[in-house]
Amino acid sequence: MSDWKPIEELPPQSGDYLVLLGDGQMAVAYFDAWKTWVCSGVHATYDGCGSVAFDAALIQWQPLPAPPAQ
């Protein structure tokens, strides 16, 4: 069973999430309190306006997996 959700279905709370981009790449994005996705800088390009943007549109998201046990 897949945990991927369509990007139109918003996460329940702010935090880091794994996202799938339209070009097939995956990245970590932060979903903020204003209900917007913020680029982590991975798979991103400078947009010339003081921030970074994803190279391709976000199409799906899922919670990050738990970190490995120590």
Side-chain angles (χ1 to χ4, degrees):
M1 180 168 168
S2 174
D3 291 328
W4 288 105
K5 308 281 187 212
I7 204 68
E8 298 81 16
E9 183 179 325
L10 302 179
Q13 62 190 33
S14 298
D16 289 314
Y17 293 88
L18 183 62
V19 294
L20 179 65
L21 283 65
D23 63 3
Q25 298 292 318
M26 286 186 276
V28 174
Y30 184 77
F31 183 72
D32 66 24
W34 294 273
K35 299 186 184 313
T36 58
W37 291 100
V38 181
C39 185
S40 67
V42 178
H43 297 294
T45 54
Y46 180 66
D47 70 359
C49 297
S51 62
V52 292
F54 286 107
D55 288 335
L58 280 63
I59 59 172
Q60 294 185 321
W61 65 272
Q62 70 173 326
L64 290 174
Q70 299 267 343

